[in-house]
Amino acid sequence: MLLQVDNVSVAYGAVEALKRVSLAVSGAEIVAVLGANGAGKTTLLKAISGLVPVKSGAIRYNGRELHKLPAHLIARLGVVHIPEGRRVFATLTVEENLNLGGYGCPKEEVQRAKDRVFQLFPVLRERRRQLAGTLSGGEQQMLAIGRGLMRSPKLMLLDEPSLGLAPLLVDQVFATIEQINKEGVPILIVEQNARKALSIANQAHILEVGRIVLSGPARELAADARVREAYLGGAAYERRLRAKESREA
Ligand code: ATP
């Protein structure tokens, strides 16, 4: 296994956000973790990338104990975290954002990575001199992913890439995620958009209030009556999404 999360618990003071969570990502697959607001999805990715401390349990990656390493060393091992809400540098151009993603890498490598990003996202090439803050939500999501690709990730952690995007753009972003995986990057994605995430994932897990309650091949979960009822109901999903967006507005 490339990544092994083993009985991991994380707490924010008295709030236990993750309770003995276990999952694994092999060298080639897309693994999805699905859950509603507050289920602990972001916390799980932050625990892996070293942004929050692990209270108990272990996270192993390529034979290294990630839960004992600081975030900058985890990033150096090729674990790239694309945070929720995109977080691009609004007052820098598209190209400057990408260059920052490749900061410290040799010039030729930066150019090669940038060419690859522009191939995946031709719209970013067209807009490379435009300020990132003037891009649409979908384009900003592409830029956030593109910036992550500048470091030649060996494992990509993606936090809700569909958030706030129109359906057509969601399709486009997910198609690119699949493409990136086909080119050899294993991906752990956390999503509220269960339908989309299950359509591209190999394995999936359902996270509810910090606990994994169901795991299996994505195809089986998509057919599971409990998953269909709780996560694939179009109306319920839309309600959760709207509630989240209005909270963040
Ligand atoms: P969302 O989709 O809303 O981002 P999520 O599934 O990613 O939700 P987390 O953000 O991981 O969930 O939050 C899990 C729990 O931990 C929630 O109860 C949340 O309120 C709590 N929490 C998250 N960050 C903090 C923090 N910095 N301090 C205290 N509690 C926190």
Side-chain angles (χ1 to χ4, degrees), residues 154-176:
K154 297 193 176 69
L155 172 66
M156 189 175 257
L157 309 175
L158 265 169
D159 195 343
E160 291 208 41
S162 78
L163 191 75
L165 300 187
L168 202 65
L169 281 170
V170 172
D171 288 350
Q172 216 178 321
V173 166
F174 272 74
T176 318

Side-chain angles (χ1 to χ4, degrees), residues 11-13 15-18 35-44 46 52 84 159-160 163 190 192 207 209-210 244 247-248:
Y12 299 105
V15 179
E16 201 166 37
L18 289 183
N37 292 148
K41 303 183 300 299
T42 297
T43 302
L44 171 64
K46 284 185 172 171
V52 296
E84 182 186 285
D159 195 343
E160 291 208 41
L163 191 75
V190 304
Q192 285 198 48
L207 193 61
V209 217
K244 176 163 186 156
R247 265 208 323 278
E248 285 178 351

Side-chain angles (χ1 to χ4, degrees), residues 52-181:
V52 296
V54 168
K55 189 172 117 188
S56 60
I59 302 176
R60 296 192 182 82
Y61 164 81
N62 248 342
R64 306 287 295 263
E65 299 201 291
L66 288 198
H67 58 287
K68 295 183 179 165
L69 295 179
H72 69 280
L73 291 184
I74 295 174
R76 238 183 257 169
L77 294 173
V79 178
V80 165
H81 185 163
I82 318 274
E84 182 186 285
R86 309 184 266 274
R87 314 254 168 87
V88 295
F89 297 103
T91 56
L92 299 182
T93 66
V94 166
E95 187 152 20
E96 285 164 344
N97 268 275
L98 292 177
N99 289 342
L100 271 181
Y103 184 76
C105 299
K107 226 176 178 177
E108 317 77 70
E109 231 172 80
V110 170
Q111 194 50 52
R112 214 173 317 125
K114 223 170 3 184
D115 287 343
R116 181 176 175 222
V117 171
F118 287 151
Q119 223 168 15
L120 275 170
F121 302 111
V123 68
L124 294 184
R125 187 196 299 275
E126 281 163 34
R127 297 179 192 245
R128 64 182 192 268
R129 292 190 223 298
Q130 202 169 312
L131 295 184
T134 66
L135 299 178
S136 72
E139 290 160 355
Q140 287 189 20
Q141 183 62 63
M142 293 173 197
L143 180 55
I145 295 175
R147 196 176 52 189
L149 285 172
M150 293 298 293
R151 291 224 156 253
S152 310
K154 297 193 176 69
L155 172 66
M156 189 175 257
L157 309 175
L158 265 169
D159 195 343
E160 291 208 41
S162 78
L163 191 75
L165 300 187
L168 202 65
L169 281 170
V170 172
D171 288 350
Q172 216 178 321
V173 166
F174 272 74
T176 318
I177 294 169
E178 257 189 310
Q179 178 65 28
I180 292 167
N181 175 253

